[in-house]
Amino acid sequence: MIGNDAKITDVGARAYRVPTETPEADGTLAWSDTTVVVVFVHTAEHTGLGWTYAHHAIVDLVESVLRSAVLGTSVTDVPAARETMQRAIRNHGRPGLVSCAMSAVEVAQWDAAARLHELPLSRLLGRAHDSVPVYGSGGFTTYDDDQLRTQLHRYASEHGMSAVKIKIGESRGTDTERDLARVRFAQELTGTDTALFVDANGAYSVGQAVRMGELLDQLDVRWYEEPVSSDDWTGLRRVCEAVGADVAAGEYGYHPSYFAGMLAAEAVDCPQIDLTRCGGIGEWQRIAALAAARGLDVSGHCAQNLTAHVALCTPNVRHLEWFRDHERVEEMLFDGTLRPREGAVRPDMSLPGHGMALKEPDSEPYRVR
């Protein structure tokens, strides 16, 4: 018989830094490695796994403040543990690294609870879908034509994705001619059967974003992500009102009240939720409900191998971002990662939890904490 009151006996964290394939950049940032903080929630017989993409400093936060908050909690009482963590971090500030840390702990707890009950995570949460549509994402501004061609072909032709996304906003919006040239090139590569999305990562001013949006409409771009800063809700609304493409933002939302404000401002057509930043699965569900109350879909931002499981359980999910960086890192560090087929992912319903485990020997060379 499966016990119903297994307690959390320990919480641990490790950080790993993985170099990128090539130097990468978007409109406002360049990077050469990706840091992942992996969290383990232990009971006497099971271990749950979660992670977040954030600075390794949160290892200490997880193993001190958050560990103390949830020790002894029933592993299935995830909302209670989340509220305990929320109280414990009051003087540390919720947005940013703290919320990333909470997200990883909360997801790991859900995974442990599902393993306790020998259920797939999405069965424990309750599914709304059998699969989740995904779109291919990468298209970094540092890519040359051959790199972009190879990536988009892989997404559209090999994985059957009906949409792909590239980065624009070159050099903080100072090279719009190159932005438009890359959009035209991507359109030529993918043809009319594949929708083209773009992400400016907040590189443009409001007026510039509107002008670019009008040109992107002429090129049949369907998704215009972060044309201005995701914190500029007034600016986002102005872009929404001026362009035909769906305007999206929200990946830097660290709690439901952020999304409540964004939605009240009518700033986006489709909010993006990052499971590894927003506070975890419970907070994802709250945010999705806020969007549903306004008749809007939500989209999953990155960390696709974790996000797919809660996306299956979200009636108003539109799609999930299949981000090249995270695809590569997660395949390197974890067993049990997903593979998109025919433009969607379908988690294995025969495995308990989310079905993934850290590759202990393979991951060790990348460990930094």
Side-chain angles (χ1 to χ4, degrees), residues 142-198:
T142 44
Y143 277 3
D144 61 25
D145 287 354
D146 287 340
Q147 289 171 305
L148 189 59
R149 180 186 293 108
T150 298
Q151 186 175 84
L152 297 187
H153 174 79
R154 177 171 174 266
Y155 286 148
S157 299
E158 296 179 22
H159 292 318
M161 298 181 188
S162 60
V164 294
K165 187 173 77 180
I166 67 169
K167 301 289 190 180
I168 59 172
E170 172 77 24
S171 303
R172 304 196 71 85
T174 60
D175 195 350
T176 55
E177 287 304 314
R178 182 170 188 257
D179 291 341
L180 292 170
R182 294 180 76 246
V183 170
R184 294 188 189 98
F185 181 66
Q187 289 282 39
E188 292 171 4
L189 292 174
T190 57
T192 57
D193 293 335
T194 305
L196 183 61
F197 297 175
V198 298

Side-chain angles (χ1 to χ4, degrees), residues 293-308:
R294 292 180 174 272
L296 297 179
D297 294 334
V298 298
S299 179
H301 176 262
C302 297
Q304 53 263 25
N305 283 289
L306 284 181
T307 308

Side-chain angles (χ1 to χ4, degrees), residues 95-110:
L97 294 180
V98 172
S99 191
C100 291
M102 289 178 61
S103 300
V105 173
E106 200 257 20
V107 168
Q109 185 176 349
W110 273 115

Side-chain angles (χ1 to χ4, degrees), residues 352-367:
H354 52 53
M356 288 176 283
L358 183 69
K359 295 179 179 178
E360 294 282 356
D362 294 351
S363 62
E364 197 59 28
Y366 304 104
R367 186 171 177 181

Side-chain angles (χ1 to χ4, degrees), residues 32-165:
S32 58
D33 54 57
T34 300
T35 300
V36 189
V37 177
V38 179
V39 168
F40 306 90
V41 168
H42 302 280
T43 69
E45 297 183 1
H46 300 87
T47 296
L49 175 70
W51 64 83
T52 185
Y53 290 92
H55 194 275
H56 61 73
I58 69 173
V59 169
D60 289 340
L61 176 68
V62 169
E63 294 191 332
S64 57
V65 177
L66 299 185
R67 177 181 180 274
S68 297
V70 302
L71 279 182
T73 302
S74 173
V75 74
T76 56
D77 291 341
V78 186
R82 185 172 60 246
E83 291 304 305
T84 303
M85 286 192 288
Q86 178 66 45
R87 291 192 294 271
I89 57 89
R90 188 195 71 178
N91 291 343
H92 302 290
R94 168 67 187 265
L97 294 180
V98 172
S99 191
C100 291
M102 289 178 61
S103 300
V105 173
E106 200 257 20
V107 168
Q109 185 176 349
W110 273 115
D111 183 41
R115 292 171 191 266
L116 169 70
H117 291 286
E118 299 179 359
L119 289 172
L121 178 56
S122 60
R123 285 288 190 205
L124 184 63
L125 297 170
R127 293 191 304 165
H129 310 283
D130 293 324
S131 64
V132 185
V134 296
Y135 68 87
S137 173
F140 304 111
T141 59
T142 44
Y143 277 3
D144 61 25
D145 287 354
D146 287 340
Q147 289 171 305
L148 189 59
R149 180 186 293 108
T150 298
Q151 186 175 84
L152 297 187
H153 174 79
R154 177 171 174 266
Y155 286 148
S157 299
E158 296 179 22
H159 292 318
M161 298 181 188
S162 60
V164 294
K165 187 173 77 180

Side-chain angles (χ1 to χ4, degrees), residues 335-355:
D335 282 318
T337 54
L338 303 172
R339 300 287 187 279
R341 292 183 177 85
E342 299 178 348
V345 286
R346 299 164 180 82
D348 187 341
M349 301 306 294
S350 69
L351 299 175
H354 52 53

